[in-house]
mmCIF file of all heavy atoms in Angstrom:
data_model
loop_
_atom_site.group_PDB
_atom_site.id
_atom_site.type_symbol
_atom_site.label_atom_id
_atom_site.label_comp_id
_atom_site.label_asym_id
_atom_site.label_seq_id
_atom_site.Cartn_x
_atom_site.Cartn_y
_atom_site.Cartn_z
ATOM 1 N N ARG U 505 76.297 -209.341 -237.800
ATOM 2 C CA ARG U 505 75.618 -210.054 -236.718
ATOM 3 C C ARG U 505 75.399 -211.533 -237.032
ATOM 4 O O ARG U 505 75.331 -212.356 -236.126
ATOM 5 C CB ARG U 505 74.291 -209.373 -236.397
ATOM 6 C CG ARG U 505 73.248 -209.470 -237.499
ATOM 7 C CD ARG U 505 72.047 -208.607 -237.124
ATOM 8 N NE ARG U 505 70.928 -208.870 -238.055
ATOM 9 C CZ ARG U 505 69.847 -208.104 -238.113
ATOM 10 N NH1 ARG U 505 69.768 -207.059 -237.320
ATOM 11 N NH2 ARG U 505 68.872 -208.392 -238.941
ATOM 12 N N TRP U 506 75.295 -211.857 -238.297
ATOM 13 C CA TRP U 506 75.117 -213.264 -238.671
ATOM 14 C C TRP U 506 76.336 -214.089 -238.264
ATOM 15 O O TRP U 506 76.182 -215.233 -237.797
ATOM 16 C CB TRP U 506 74.872 -213.362 -240.180
ATOM 17 C CG TRP U 506 76.021 -212.887 -241.015
ATOM 18 C CD1 TRP U 506 76.253 -211.615 -241.445
ATOM 19 C CD2 TRP U 506 77.117 -213.687 -241.487
ATOM 20 N NE1 TRP U 506 77.427 -211.548 -242.165
ATOM 21 C CE2 TRP U 506 77.974 -212.806 -242.198
ATOM 22 C CE3 TRP U 506 77.442 -215.029 -241.378
ATOM 23 C CZ2 TRP U 506 79.148 -213.260 -242.805
ATOM 24 C CZ3 TRP U 506 78.623 -215.472 -241.976
ATOM 25 C CH2 TRP U 506 79.446 -214.591 -242.701
ATOM 26 N N ALA U 507 77.539 -213.520 -238.415
ATOM 27 C CA ALA U 507 78.760 -214.212 -238.022
ATOM 28 C C ALA U 507 78.851 -214.338 -236.499
ATOM 29 O O ALA U 507 79.257 -215.387 -235.970
ATOM 30 C CB ALA U 507 79.975 -213.483 -238.576
ATOM 31 N N VAL U 508 78.459 -213.263 -235.792
ATOM 32 C CA VAL U 508 78.454 -213.299 -234.329
ATOM 33 C C VAL U 508 77.508 -214.395 -233.862
ATOM 34 O O VAL U 508 77.827 -215.157 -232.937
ATOM 35 C CB VAL U 508 78.049 -211.937 -233.748
ATOM 36 C CG1 VAL U 508 77.889 -211.996 -232.243
ATOM 37 C CG2 VAL U 508 79.061 -210.873 -234.140
ATOM 38 N N TYR U 509 76.347 -214.471 -234.475
ATOM 39 C CA TYR U 509 75.351 -215.485 -234.102
ATOM 40 C C TYR U 509 75.927 -216.886 -234.276
ATOM 41 O O TYR U 509 75.814 -217.735 -233.385
ATOM 42 C CB TYR U 509 74.093 -215.309 -234.943
ATOM 43 C CG TYR U 509 73.051 -216.375 -234.665
ATOM 44 C CD1 TYR U 509 72.063 -216.169 -233.720
ATOM 45 C CD2 TYR U 509 73.062 -217.565 -235.373
ATOM 46 C CE1 TYR U 509 71.111 -217.155 -233.446
ATOM 47 C CE2 TYR U 509 72.117 -218.562 -235.110
ATOM 48 C CZ TYR U 509 71.149 -218.337 -234.158
ATOM 49 O OH TYR U 509 70.232 -219.310 -233.885
ATOM 50 N N PHE U 510 76.533 -217.131 -235.419
ATOM 51 C CA PHE U 510 77.044 -218.464 -235.725
ATOM 52 C C PHE U 510 78.152 -218.873 -234.727
ATOM 53 O O PHE U 510 78.134 -219.987 -234.165
ATOM 54 C CB PHE U 510 77.572 -218.532 -237.147
ATOM 55 C CG PHE U 510 78.045 -219.913 -237.549
ATOM 56 C CD1 PHE U 510 77.159 -220.886 -237.930
ATOM 57 C CD2 PHE U 510 79.410 -220.216 -237.502
ATOM 58 C CE1 PHE U 510 77.592 -222.155 -238.287
ATOM 59 C CE2 PHE U 510 79.842 -221.483 -237.853
ATOM 60 C CZ PHE U 510 78.927 -222.452 -238.258
ATOM 61 N N ILE U 511 79.097 -217.969 -234.505
ATOM 62 C CA ILE U 511 80.231 -218.279 -233.637
ATOM 63 C C ILE U 511 79.762 -218.488 -232.194
ATOM 64 O O ILE U 511 80.192 -219.417 -231.503
ATOM 65 C CB ILE U 511 81.285 -217.162 -233.714
ATOM 66 C CG1 ILE U 511 81.909 -217.137 -235.119
ATOM 67 C CG2 ILE U 511 82.363 -217.345 -232.654
ATOM 68 C CD1 ILE U 511 82.776 -215.923 -235.380
ATOM 69 N N PHE U 512 78.858 -217.625 -231.724
ATOM 70 C CA PHE U 512 78.331 -217.755 -230.360
ATOM 71 C C PHE U 512 77.661 -219.118 -230.166
ATOM 72 O O PHE U 512 77.894 -219.809 -229.172
ATOM 73 C CB PHE U 512 77.338 -216.636 -230.066
ATOM 74 C CG PHE U 512 76.790 -216.681 -228.657
ATOM 75 C CD1 PHE U 512 77.400 -215.988 -227.637
ATOM 76 C CD2 PHE U 512 75.657 -217.430 -228.373
ATOM 77 C CE1 PHE U 512 76.911 -216.045 -226.338
ATOM 78 C CE2 PHE U 512 75.148 -217.491 -227.086
ATOM 79 C CZ PHE U 512 75.794 -216.791 -226.058
ATOM 80 N N ASN U 513 76.796 -219.484 -231.109
ATOM 81 C CA ASN U 513 76.068 -220.748 -230.968
ATOM 82 C C ASN U 513 76.986 -221.952 -231.104
ATOM 83 O O ASN U 513 76.791 -222.977 -230.422
ATOM 84 C CB ASN U 513 74.945 -220.834 -231.998
ATOM 85 C CG ASN U 513 73.693 -220.103 -231.569
ATOM 86 O OD1 ASN U 513 72.859 -220.660 -230.872
ATOM 87 N ND2 ASN U 513 73.567 -218.857 -231.978
#
Side-chain angles (χ1 to χ4, degrees):
R505 67 187 190 192
W506 63 272
V508 174
Y509 177 92
F510 183 80
I511 294 169
F512 181 92
N513 277 275

